[in-house]
């Protein structure tokens, strides 16, 4: 029963240290239960993401469930923008000790009016761990799996640095930068970022961004505003001077021992030369050499993206677990929840 659990909005701008600690305790307990063996999010990172959502995630709204003064469950919704302005990216987290009592469903019901007010038509969740209570709960409430991704990590102390020594293919050279693409390549870099559109998205309604120079500069500015260091290695085609492929990694200021491997893409006309492994290997070596505190690099890769899974394996990533993205139309969800 949920009669002793109180659902209410949560405003990170007004939260106390005690409330943040309670929020983090729910996150940490859930991670320990569903993602054993992975380092959990530290308190400072949880607070940072609550007070300032990560670039590209859009504005967020939060709800909590309490028993007395103790937080026992959380709901977080990100309202994606631009190509994805119809999606409400939703996560429900219930403390393992409180699962099965209907609290998650009560939270989901509480967020629906806000989704409708913001004109969202689709509810998606991307952080469901395959085979866990979270997947069973989501499917029981009408969500269906639409995409599977592999959660992967490169543990620096266990990696073989020789894997990062990848020759640059003939006819190409490498360019690297931190924070802002050089003016002479930013236009072709924006076009190369569009090559990510070939990466499969399953049946998710999410669509990759349409990259322009303006959008590249805006994304770079968003990273800088949050103190996130973005490193890029690009393969430049000698004959044209254009970026043919790239990879990027981000370092967050609150987690000096961790980095996140973001997009890697190669334009169709330049595939088959090993550029993906080349840029990723060089970026890893560069990062580890200049940021020795980094102990782990994390990434996620679509399970149907066999090529990138192979590239990651060649560089030294291992797969930790499978993640499921789920989806349901808002009208259907509303009907199910009554």
């Amino acid at each position: 029963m949920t009669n002793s659990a109180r659902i209410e909005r949560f405003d990170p701008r007004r939260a106390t240290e005690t409330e943040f600690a309670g929020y983090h305790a729910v996150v940490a307990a859930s991670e320990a239960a569903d993602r054993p063996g992975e380092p959990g999010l530290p308190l400072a990172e949880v607070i940072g993401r609550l007070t300032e959502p990560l670039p590209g995630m859009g504005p967020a709204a939060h709800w909590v469930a309490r028993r007395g003064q103790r937080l026992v469950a959380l709901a977080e919704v990100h309202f994606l923008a631009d190509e994805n302005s119809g999606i409400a990216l939703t996560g429900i987290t219930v403390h393992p000790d409180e699962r099965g009592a209907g609290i998650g469903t009560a939270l989901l019901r509480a967020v629906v009016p806000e989704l409708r007010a913001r004109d969202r038509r689709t509810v998606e969740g991307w952080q469901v761990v395959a085979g866990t209570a979270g997947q069973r709960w989501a499917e029981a409430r009408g969500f269906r799996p639409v995409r599977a991704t592999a959660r992967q990590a490169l543990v620096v102390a266990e990696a073989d640095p020789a894997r990062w020594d990848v020759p640059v293919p003939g006819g190409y050279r490498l360019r690297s930068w931190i924070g802002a693409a050089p003016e002479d390549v930013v236009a072709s870099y924006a076009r190369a970022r569009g090559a990510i559109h070939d990466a499969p998205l399953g049946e998710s309604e999410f669509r990759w961004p349409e990259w322009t120079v303006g959008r590249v500069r805006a994304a770079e500015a968003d990273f800088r505003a949050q103190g996130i260091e973005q490193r890029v290695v690009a393969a430049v085609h000698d004959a044209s001077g254009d970026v043919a492929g790239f990879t990027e990694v981000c370092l967050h200021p609150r987690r000096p021992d961790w980095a996140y491997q973001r997009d890697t893409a190669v334009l169709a006309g330049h595939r088959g030369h090993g550029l993906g492994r080349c840029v990723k290997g060089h970026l890893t070596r560069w990062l580890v050499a200049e940021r020795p505190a980094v102990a782990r690099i994390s990434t996620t890769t679509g399970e149907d993206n066999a090529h990138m899974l192979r590239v990651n394996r060649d560089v030294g990533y291992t797969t930790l677990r499978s993640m499921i993205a789920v989806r349901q139309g808002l009208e259907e969800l509303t009907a199910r929840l009554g």
Side-chain angles (χ1 to χ4, degrees), residues 32-328:
D34 299 332
R35 304 180 185 183
E38 289 189 57
L41 285 172
L43 174 61
E45 183 68 14
V46 170
I47 294 174
R49 294 187 184 191
L50 283 169
T51 55
E52 193 168 19
L54 294 174
M57 297 297 290
H62 306 272
W63 291 257
V64 296
R66 302 178 190 268
R67 289 196 188 277
Q69 294 303 307
R70 186 171 69 92
L71 270 68
V72 296
L74 323 164
E76 179 178 61
V77 181
H78 287 270
F79 298 95
L80 304 182
D82 301 316
E83 299 89 351
N84 300 298
S85 59
I87 299 175
L89 184 58
T90 304
I92 305 290
T93 304
V94 180
H95 193 289
D97 294 344
E98 302 285 347
R99 293 174 180 174
I103 298 175
T105 303
L107 275 168
L108 187 59
R109 185 175 289 113
V111 311
V112 165
E114 184 74 11
L115 309 191
R116 192 176 299 283
R118 300 211 192 195
D119 199 27
R120 302 289 149 155
R121 64 178 181 272
T122 301
V123 185
E124 294 202 11
W126 297 348
Q127 296 297 317
V128 180
V129 182
T132 64
Q135 182 178 359
R136 294 187 290 273
W137 177 87
E139 292 181 351
R141 277 138 198 88
F143 289 91
R144 65 185 186 89
V146 292
R147 187 183 183 216
T149 58
R151 189 172 179 89
Q152 299 180 295
L154 187 154
V155 179
V156 175
E158 300 173 1
D160 178 5
R163 290 175 175 263
W164 311 331
D165 291 332
V166 184
V168 181
Y172 298 90
R173 63 185 185 276
L174 298 185
R175 293 281 297 272
S176 59
W177 60 84
I178 298 175
E183 282 294 333
D184 64 317
V185 297
V186 66
S188 64
Y189 170 57
R191 290 193 295 272
R193 291 198 68 99
I196 196 72
H197 288 202
D198 292 347
L201 289 170
E203 297 179 68
S204 169
E205 286 196 5
F206 177 80
R207 293 296 173 261
W208 297 114
E210 296 293 339
W211 288 99
T212 63
V213 171
R215 197 160 189 173
V216 166
R217 292 304 190 210
E220 293 169 343
D222 287 343
F223 284 131
R224 289 195 297 271
Q226 292 198 24
I228 296 172
E229 180 180 283
Q230 180 197 31
R231 289 179 175 239
V232 176
V233 171
V236 177
H237 184 225
D238 286 334
S240 65
D242 290 343
V243 172
F246 75 96
T247 191
E248 63 176 332
V249 72
C250 283
L251 296 93
H252 294 230
R254 297 175 293 267
R255 301 182 71 184
D257 61 339
W258 177 83
Y260 188 72
Q261 169 71 61
R262 291 173 58 88
D263 291 352
T264 301
V266 177
L267 286 165
H270 297 277
R271 293 172 186 168
H273 302 292
L275 291 177
R277 183 184 174 202
C278 176
V279 293
K280 193 166 278 193
H282 281 262
L283 178 57
T284 306
R285 178 171 290 284
W286 179 34
L287 174 67
V288 170
E290 293 197 357
R291 292 289 184 268
V294 172
R296 172 182 290 249
I297 308 170
S298 298
T299 195
T300 55
T301 307
E303 290 190 351
D304 48 3
N305 192 343
H307 173 71
M308 193 53 62
L309 289 171
R310 183 170 63 252
V311 168
N312 288 349
R313 183 175 62 250
D314 290 344
V315 173
Y317 285 83
T318 58
T319 296
L320 305 175
R321 55 189 39 90
S322 180
M323 308 292 292
I324 303 294
V326 297
R327 188 188 85 193
Q328 186 169 189

